[in-house]
């Protein structure tokens, strides 16, 4: 009887978390939907990506995704085709994801909106998972999820907490729905980063914590895959992750001498394997 009640309670909580995630996604989606309806009702042409607030998306990332949809992969410099840059600049992961949404939603505005909704839901759930891993307190995990997707804290963490004034400017005044900036212009609406890259960033750094607390071959395998994939989504995050792993390995080698190093070596080997295609591109 007690086990049945506990199972029902767990199911209710999990359902509530998923519903809350859908609400978070809707808060990102609905302003653009209402804006499109208003513009079209007045006979105007609606384009969600504007040079005024989505300049890099308009110039670079939307055209790259369109190139993938047209069968040109990986996309090179779409403005000067002769200037063929390597994957160091044009990482393929975000191109593939955005291209997939363009295939599902031929209207670029609807593809953009759907992308924002889906990845906001995913990132809320991942921030929640991170919070449960770090704090093991459900309320704190929910708060972390909301702060992670409803404010710029995730991408401005160090600046946001450097002074009370910056905290209010970056978080207090940008907390949806009490926000002064139009929601469709907020940080999470920016493609490719952070909308299509942040989810993997959250996974990697949560797995790093879990691996450091209790190293094992299984955790090394999962973390190695996540870090390896990160190289194909956002190079800077990959660099940060490897620096952190190196520092933690050094700490383990010096201060945890009785701990087996096999999981660490397995982790480094998997990361190296994933880097081979990138390095030889």
């Amino acid at each position: 009887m007690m086990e049945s009640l506990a199972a029902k309670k767990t199911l209710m909580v999990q359902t509530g978390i998923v519903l809350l995630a859908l609400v978070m996604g809707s808060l990102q989606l609905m302003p653009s939907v209402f804006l499109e309806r208003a513009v079209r009702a007045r006979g105007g042409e609606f384009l969600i990506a504007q040079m005024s607030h989505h300049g890099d998306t308009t110039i670079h990332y939307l055209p790259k995704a369109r190139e993938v949809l047209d069968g040109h992969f990986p996309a090179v410099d779409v403005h000067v085709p002769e200037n063929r840059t390597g994957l160091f600049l044009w990482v393929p992961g975000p191109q593939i994801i955005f291209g997939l949404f363009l295939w599902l939603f031929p209207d670029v505005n609807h593809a953009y909106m759907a992308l924002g909704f889906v990845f906001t839901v995913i990132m809320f759930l991942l921030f929640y998972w991170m919070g449960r891993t770090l704090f093991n307190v459900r309320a704190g995990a929910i708060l972390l999820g909301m702060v992670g997707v409803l404010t710029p804290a995730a991408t401005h963490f160090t600046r946001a907490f450097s002074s009370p004034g910056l905290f209010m400017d970056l978080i207090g005044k940008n907390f949806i729905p009490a926000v002064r900036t139009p929601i469709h212009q907020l940080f999470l609406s920016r493609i490719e980063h952070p909308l299509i890259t942040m989810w993997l960033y959250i996974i990697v750094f949560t797995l790093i914590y879990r691996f450091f607390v209790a190293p094992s071959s299984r955790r090394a395998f999962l973390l190695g895959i996540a870090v390896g994939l990160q190289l194909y989504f956002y190079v800077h995050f990959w660099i940060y992750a490897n620096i952190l792993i190196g520092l933690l390995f050094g700490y383990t080698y010096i201060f945890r001498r009785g701990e087996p190093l096999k999981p660490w070596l397995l982790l480094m080997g998997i990361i190296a394997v994933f880097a081979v295609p990138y390095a030889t591109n």
Side-chain angles (χ1 to χ4, degrees):
M1 181 67 177
M2 294 299 294
E3 292 181 357
S4 176
L5 289 175
K8 289 182 179 179
K9 181 181 178 181
T10 300
L11 179 61
M12 290 178 61
V13 170
Q14 292 174 345
T15 302
I17 296 300
V18 172
L19 290 176
L20 184 57
L22 294 174
V23 171
M24 298 298 105
S26 298
L27 287 174
Q28 290 284 349
L29 170 67
M30 295 315 295
S32 297
V33 172
F34 294 144
L35 183 61
E36 180 184 18
R37 286 184 179 179
V39 171
R40 296 195 187 279
R42 299 168 68 176
E45 186 66 30
F46 179 75
L47 184 61
I48 193 171
Q50 298 285 345
M51 289 293 294
S52 59
H53 55 274
H54 288 301
D56 51 354
T57 295
T58 307
I59 296 172
H60 296 294
Y61 303 133
L62 278 172
K64 285 197 303 175
R66 183 70 211 189
E67 285 286 292
V68 173
L69 183 62
D70 291 339
H72 306 148
F73 178 81
V76 295
D77 192 325
V78 294
H79 304 291
V80 186
E82 294 79 11
N83 183 21
R84 294 183 174 274
T85 54
L87 288 182
F88 181 83
L89 291 177
W90 306 111
V91 288
Q95 299 175 20
I96 295 172
I97 291 176
F98 202 173
L100 174 62
F101 274 79
L102 285 175
W103 178 70
L104 293 172
F105 303 91
D107 185 315
V108 66
N109 299 301
H110 297 161
Y112 207 135
M113 293 179 198
L115 198 68
F117 173 80
V118 170
F119 276 86
T120 298
V121 170
I122 290 173
M123 280 188 279
F124 173 81
L125 294 174
L126 289 174
F127 273 119
Y128 174 79
W129 170 58
M130 174 186 279
R132 291 288 285 173
T133 300
L134 296 178
F135 314 132
N136 199 28
V137 177
R138 184 173 289 113
I142 292 173
L143 179 61
L144 180 63
M146 296 177 67
V147 170
V149 300
L150 299 182
T151 77
T155 53
H156 295 81
F157 184 82
T158 53
R159 290 184 61 216
F161 292 89
S162 61
S163 73
L166 280 174
F167 180 86
M168 286 304 300
D169 287 340
L170 294 174
I171 298 179
K173 297 177 182 178
N174 285 294
F175 208 128
I176 300 172
V179 62
R180 297 186 178 183
T181 306
I183 292 176
H184 68 282
Q185 297 181 17
L186 290 180
F187 84 109
L188 201 57
S189 67
R190 185 175 181 268
I191 294 176
E192 300 171 349
H193 174 70
L195 185 59
I196 318 180
T197 60
M198 182 63 68
W199 65 276
L200 191 54
Y201 172 89
I202 302 168
I203 291 174
V204 165
F205 283 92
T206 305
L207 290 178
I208 286 177
Y209 173 80
R210 289 168 57 88
F211 178 77
F212 181 67
V213 170
S216 67
S217 296
R218 178 177 177 274
R219 292 187 174 186
F221 185 75
L222 294 174
L223 177 56
I225 292 175
V227 175
L229 288 175
Q230 200 168 49
L231 182 58
Y232 300 92
F233 276 84
Y234 203 67
V235 177
H236 301 86
F237 285 165
W238 181 83
I239 294 172
Y240 301 154
N242 277 279
I243 291 174
L244 180 57
I245 289 171
L247 291 173
L248 294 176
F249 174 73
Y251 176 88
T252 300
Y253 184 77
I254 295 172
F255 298 105
R256 295 180 176 179
R257 290 191 173 275
E259 187 172 292
L261 297 180
K262 181 180 177 180
W264 290 92
L265 298 177
L266 175 62
L267 169 62
M268 296 175 190
I270 294 172
I271 294 174
V273 169
F274 270 85
V276 171
Y278 184 92
T280 58
N281 171 67

